[in-house]
Amino acid sequence: MISKNLFASKTWIPPVAAFFLGVTSVHAQNSKPEKDSLHEKEIDEVVVVAYGKAKRNSYTGSVATISSDKINNRPVTNITKALEGQVAGIQTTSASGQPGAVSTIRIRGIGSISASSDPLYVVDGIPFDGNLNSISPSDIESISVLKDATASALYGSRGANGIIIITTKSGKKGEARVNFNISQGFSGRAVKDYEQVNTDQYFQLYWEALRNGYQSGKVSSQQAAQMATDNLVSTLGINPYGTGYPKPVGTDGKLLPGASPLWNDDWRDILQRVASRNQVDLDISGGSEKSNYFFSLGYLDDKGMAIESGYKRYNTRLKINSEVKKWLNVGVNLSYTNSIQQAPTSSDSNSSNIINAARFIPSFYPYYERNANGSYILGADGNPIYDFGKYRPTSALQNQNAAATLPLDKNENKEDNFSGKGFMEFTFLPELKFKTSFSVDLVNYNGHYYSNPLLGQGAEIGGSVTKTNTRTLSYTTSNILTYDRKFGKHHVNALAGHEFYKYDYQTISGTRSQFSLPYYYEPDAASLLGSFSGNSNKLSLLSFLGKVEYDYNNTYFLSASGRADSSSRFEKDNRWGRFWSVGGSWKISNEEFVKSLNVFNQLTLRASYGGQGNDKLLRPNGQPLYYAYQELYRFISLGGEPGTTLEKTATNNVKWETNLNLNVGLEFAVLNNRIKGNIEYFKRKSQDLLFNMPVAPSLGISDYPANIGTIQNTGFEFSLFTTPIKNDNFQWNVDVNLSTLNNKVTKLPSGPLVVGQTKLLTVGGSVYDFYIPEWVGVDPSNGKPLWKTVSTDASGNSVEGTTSEYSKATKLLQGSALPKLTGGISTSITYKNFDFSGLLTFKIGGKILDNDYTSIMHNGSLGGRAWSAEMLNRWTPDNPNTDVPGLSTTTNNWTSNSSRFLYSGTYARLKNVSLGYTLPEDYFEKIGLKKFRIYIQAENLLTFYKHKGMDPEQALDGTTYYRYPAMRTITFGLQAIL
């Protein structure tokens, strides 16, 4: 028998600790641990759930909570970037490192194809429509993630993809508390860019491409070699070896003896930088027996690693709650954020993409004009003159120099976010309460994009300017009646309510060009009107909801909920959707036969099932479709006369997409709560999928919305929270969470459906299965690329072959972009006044199609474009066994989509590391300072990934698209509490 005294020991290390030794990762502890901290965090803690709170060990739904100490001190601009690796069942993808960018979050898989799979964000009990960037992480008290039907069904269609509830801080009873936090950080690329060949290697490789290209035209090898030597410099447009070497590469393909580049201008050095990050937060809070208040001010200036990029935010919040009468509580929560984002193009294949510009131009093209001897050509002011490369080939971004033009241009996004919430709660009886609340979110966005008339491509049209204004107003009214009473061993909690939501979106945009004077940025300064557009959209949702919870003797728990939503997106006969859930849990640890074992501090079995709906249909371009059932038109000009064309046909039969969710879980705690954990199984079935069905272009439209097919997401979630060591001076916590996911299409209306350029929907596959040609390799006899072909012979048998013509290659399924396992490992250590923490996140499985890499893997047909160092392993007669084809100026399409550029998505990242020291209290007692902590922390410190050069955090569909890379940030800061 195991001794009770052993379990109660404050220094005993359980056997599980051996498994975690050496693992580093989780939330930062900001102060010395209290002796009873474990008991304060027992699983009977109160968690925020739909329309209220609940005790964790009695709740029938699946909920995970992230406390403020895991969020407040992270050097992240957006709270979504702080969630990765913190909760089982959440897949977080930060596809862009642009300051101010929002991460994509999926809870328990992908629930839709053409409709939104985003979770619902709820702030202080009310659904939130503002920009998540407007919420300062320092204002957050906790985040709850609701994952199953019982937890989220009360939000009906709005919670079909899970719910993230954000609770902001409130004042606490006692004297006023002043909290001040200031930090200074520095940021750069988290992952080094792809390795490229140097100037010497490039000139020799391109000589080879020219020679091979000439040979393909029936020119002798000797003549081709001479032509390559003669034309190399003129083709590339520059000679970095100077006048002493007019033909730097000889007919043998080697650099002439003594030839050496006179300069080496890596464009990444001038277009990218070590950026600064400054943040200041101040909050004042307090309260009495009947009221409390919280007031905060914040400032953030987060520069980007790409020049002229960054994000600046000013935020404030006021939150007051008061018991004005014994029967009446009121509260108000007001927040305002003003933000300015500098965002040069950094997320597509556009030639102005700042990430492309740094990668595409080889270092032998200078960014300042050079003399033949390599010295700078100086302007009248004595400064070097920017080189725009009019002599460069088109593929090397001819006539562009982002270092010169971006400081003169504008790529500015300004936003004002106002969020206001108010409530009144009436207490008719101790067990009967009524709460009415109102929430409004107002977002005003102004985009200002200006191309200067002095330098670069904008100069060709005299400069141009585009201004866009978008106004989004939404409000929610809610009226909730609750009844809560105990009858001996019985406890009943009931809720009934009504909710109304209104959304109003308006946008207007215009473009003008031809400025007569420089340094004037507004449209009035330009003379030629280019375009003018605008539109508006409206949406409303009427809802009725109810819930009943019952428990007997704090051991057996049952719950049931229902909600009806009427959405204006659908035709009136299909407008109403009805959603429901049932759940139950059994607190086994309260049973005498378990208590007698003296093993479990808590053991709870729970299960739930329910259905929710989704009405958030998206257009193929990702924009919301607010009028799913209506016939829509496009208005155009035909020879100066107004015209109308059909954009979308009427689809009166389109209806709600339905999600059916099953959840079974077991929660446990042993060794005086030194080890706590949770194991859950989920099965999520999405049916009547909202989908944009493609049609023949001859019909005049591209697609129409329809309900087709079924998707199923299944998986297991595992969470473990341990305290291997705890005594008066030292505490070590280790947490682990793991999630598996199996996403499968189980029903389609007909055969497989091709989605985009690289995906195929087929029964038995996932929603993100790659459908691209299979790379076979390089023909060792001639260096040509090879892809697989699959055909059927006269007998109906499948016949496999190969081809060097990409157009003849057969598209085949090549695996899914979705990972099989995601998770996080975290640790925190406190020793006296020191604290240390770390978070390691990882994904196992899934694939990524790296289109960024292919842009510098050309075979020579893109003369002047930078080359990957992998091209050094290209095919030659002396190197026949390789997977890089031979070089030539004639394109061979080898960089087209294929499995050759499909890489494993498995990676691990040391997401956060923090080290802090809290000075002894007696140092500051005389000036009334309660706490003074200094700290250093790092975000995205290390990345463990095989395919060097690519950031493994990519879009959910597994396809790269020249995005802004993730940033590594090192931050120093101090926190003072008065």
Side-chain angles (χ1 to χ4, degrees), residues 65-77:
T65 300
I66 306 171
S67 58
S68 60
D69 55 0
K70 298 182 181 181
I71 303 168
N72 292 169
N73 292 325
R74 292 281 297 276
V76 293
T77 302

Side-chain angles (χ1 to χ4, degrees), residues 40 93 136 201 203 213 271 468 624 652 672 674 688 809 850 919:
E40 293 171 1
T93 304
S136 173
Q201 293 166 336
F203 268 68
L271 297 179
T468 300
N652 293 331
N672 284 339
R674 294 279 286 272
D688 296 325
D850 191 356
L919 276 68

Side-chain angles (χ1 to χ4, degrees), residues 387-405:
D387 190 332
F388 280 83
K390 293 182 180 180
Y391 54 85
R392 293 197 300 256
T394 304
S395 53
L397 305 186
Q398 186 182 74
N399 198 29
Q400 293 187 55
N401 190 321
T405 57

Side-chain angles (χ1 to χ4, degrees), residues 664-711:
V664 179
L666 179 68
E667 193 166 355
F668 63 90
V670 296
L671 304 179
N672 284 339
N673 294 316
R674 294 279 286 272
I675 299 177
K676 298 180 288 188
N678 186 42
I679 302 172
E680 289 185 291
Y681 168 78
F682 67 89
K683 181 178 180 181
R684 179 185 177 196
K685 180 181 179 182
S686 302
Q687 60 189 29
D688 296 325
L689 296 172
L690 291 169
F691 185 74
N692 294 307
M693 287 290 292
V695 297
S698 59
L699 295 178
I701 59 174
S702 60
D703 56 81
Y704 67 92
N707 295 97
I708 63 108
T710 303
I711 295 175

